[in-house]
Amino acid sequence: MEYKDYYQILGIERDATADAIKQAYRKLARKYHPDVNKDKDAEARFKDIGEAYEVLKDPEKRSAYDRFGANWQNGEQFRPPPDWNAGGYEFRGSAPGDTQGFSDFFEALFGQTRGRGSYAGQSGQGFSMQGEDQQAAITISLEDAYHGAKQTLTLNRPEPDEQGRIFMRPQQLNLAIPKGIIAGQRIRLEGQGLPGHGGGAPGDLYLEIHFAPHHLFKAEKRTIHLQLPVTPWEAALGASITVPTLDGKVQLKIPPNSQNGRKLRLKGKGLSTQKTTGDQIVTLQVVLPEAQTEEQQAIYRSMAEKLAFNPRTDLGV
C-alpha cells in the first residue's frame, strides 16, 4: 500500500498547531469540494484532505500516526510494523460499519472504523461539508460594555447562488452584548458563518469587540481610567468631589496632602461580570489657577514666602 503523508496533503509542517491544521483543512476542502471544483481529480483530493484531517485533528490519533516519524515519503510503498496495533478508533458522522472512502493505508493503521464526518458520499448521501467560520470586528461604547446591551447589526454575508457562485447579501443580526465584556473578547454567533455544502451545517460568526473612543474614560482590560482635575487647595486640604463613572456620578474623598498623579480606586466601577470585578482608577491632576491680576499674584507671593517649599530638593539644586 502507499504511505500517505497527511502533513504534506494538508500543506503544513509536522509541528503545526491545531488551529493551523483546521485552517489548512477548511481552505483545501473548500477548494477541492466536488460541488465547487469540477476537475477530474477533485473528489480524490477531497477524500485525501478529509482523511488527513480526521487523523491530525485528534491528538491521540495524530500521536499514533507520528510514531512513524518523517522518514516516509508520500506515495512510497509501506507496511505497518509487525507489532503495530492502533485499532479501536471511531469516526463519527456516517452510518456504523460504513468504511468506504478510507484508504488502505488508513485502514491498516486504524482498523475498522465508523465512517467520517467530512465526507459522506460513500452511501449515496452526496458530499457534505460544514461551512467556514467567519470573523468580524465591531465597535461598541464603554457604556454598553459596562451595562450590557442589545444591538441590531447589518452585515454583508456571503451566500451561494444557484450556480454555486458567492455573492454578498446584507442581513440584520440581533446581538446581545454581555455585561462586562472587554476589548478583544469575541462573541460567537452560532450558524452565522459561511454556508455549508451539500447540506452541511453553516459555520459560526465571531465578532471581536473594540471600544469607541470616550471623551472621559479609557479602558485597560477591566479597569476604567479617569483623569480628574483638582485645585491645589483640594489636593492640599482634602475634599469630597463629584466624580463621573460609567454607572453615574459618585462622591470621591480626596485625602489631604495629595500630590499630582496620585491614583485613587473606585471599587466595582470598572467592567465587571458576575464572577469578575473591575475597578475605576482616578488619577489626580492638580491644575494651577492663572495669576492674572495684582491681587492674584499677591496670593502666590504670599504662598512663596510662607510655605518655603522647594520641589527640587531631590535634584540636589
Side-chain angles (χ1 to χ4, degrees):
M1 77 187 76
E2 292 184 356
Y3 175 81
K4 287 187 176 291
D5 187 334
Y6 292 139
Y7 294 98
Q8 180 179 329
I9 289 172
L10 293 183
I12 56 178
E13 300 295 332
R14 297 186 72 86
D15 59 354
T17 63
D19 285 342
I21 292 171
K22 182 178 181 180
Q23 292 173 5
Y25 161 70
R26 290 196 165 180
K27 179 180 179 180
L28 293 173
R30 184 172 183 83
K31 178 179 179 180
Y32 290 103
H33 196 290
D35 286 352
V36 177
N37 193 322
K38 302 305 180 183
D39 292 346
K40 61 181 181 180
D41 64 342
E43 180 175 341
R45 292 289 301 273
F46 183 73
K47 290 181 180 180
D48 283 345
I49 292 163
E51 181 178 313
Y53 182 60
E54 289 290 356
V55 174
L56 298 184
K57 73 177 182 179
D58 185 284
E60 186 178 359
K61 290 186 280 291
R62 181 182 181 183
S63 177
Y65 173 75
D66 285 347
R67 286 166 57 184
F68 296 112
N71 297 324
W72 296 88
Q73 300 296 321
N74 195 51
E76 186 178 354
Q77 288 300 307
F78 172 82
R79 286 288 182 272
D83 60 347
W84 175 258
N85 181 12
Y89 295 102
E90 291 187 357
F91 289 79
R92 298 169 293 176
S94 298
D98 186 358
T99 59
Q100 298 180 27
F102 292 90
S103 68
D104 292 340
F105 173 76
F106 181 95
E107 294 292 346
L109 297 188
F110 298 102
Q112 296 298 310
T113 59
R114 291 191 178 185
R116 293 181 24 212
S118 296
Y119 172 65
Q122 49 267 49
S123 299
Q125 302 172 31
F127 292 97
S128 177
M129 185 176 70
Q130 181 178 356
E132 293 184 29
D133 295 339
Q134 293 290 96
Q135 298 188 35
I138 63 169
T139 300
I140 66 173
S141 68
L142 283 176
E143 285 82 1
D144 283 348
Y146 183 88
H147 295 286
K150 293 184 178 179
Q151 290 189 5
T152 299
L153 303 179
T154 300
L155 298 177
N156 289 322
R157 294 192 58 212
E159 291 191 5
D161 59 19
E162 295 180 354
Q163 288 74 38
R165 295 172 297 188
I166 300 297
F167 70 100
M168 305 303 289
R169 183 169 72 90
Q171 180 178 0
Q172 287 191 335
L173 298 175
N174 295 321
L175 174 65
I177 299 173
K179 172 181 168 61
I181 195 167
I182 63 176
Q185 283 189 320
R186 299 193 304 172
I187 299 175
R188 174 174 173 256
L189 298 180
E190 185 176 1
Q192 299 298 328
L194 288 177
H197 292 278
D204 299 330
L205 174 61
Y206 291 88
L207 299 176
E208 183 174 319
I209 296 297
H210 293 191
F211 289 148
H214 199 282
H215 69 291
L216 293 178
F217 306 111
K218 182 178 180 181
E220 183 179 341
K221 295 185 178 179
R222 298 201 173 279
T223 303
I224 298 297
H225 291 273
L226 171 71
Q227 302 289 327
L228 180 67
V230 296
T231 63
W233 45 93
E234 288 171 333
L237 303 177
S240 180
I241 298 178
T242 301
V243 175
T245 75
L246 290 170
D247 195 32
K249 297 177 181 179
V250 299
Q251 290 298 116
L252 175 66
K253 289 186 176 180
I254 308 297
N257 297 315
S258 292
Q259 295 294 323
N260 184 66
R262 181 169 186 173
K263 298 182 185 299
L264 303 175
R265 184 182 302 272
L266 292 172
K267 291 187 177 181
K269 296 303 181 181
L271 300 177
S272 303
T273 67
Q274 291 182 348
K275 297 181 179 180
T276 307
T277 299
D279 300 329
Q280 177 171 317
I281 301 298
V282 178
T283 302
L284 302 184
Q285 286 186 323
V286 179
V287 180
L288 298 177
E290 294 182 356
Q292 296 181 342
T293 67
E294 179 61 33
E295 183 180 3
Q296 293 168 345
Q297 294 172 6
I299 294 175
Y300 277 109
R301 283 193 290 268
S302 176
M303 291 174 60
E305 294 172 359
K306 295 180 180 180
L307 294 180
F309 174 61
N310 182 6
R312 296 173 293 280
T313 301
D314 292 342
L315 302 180
V317 295

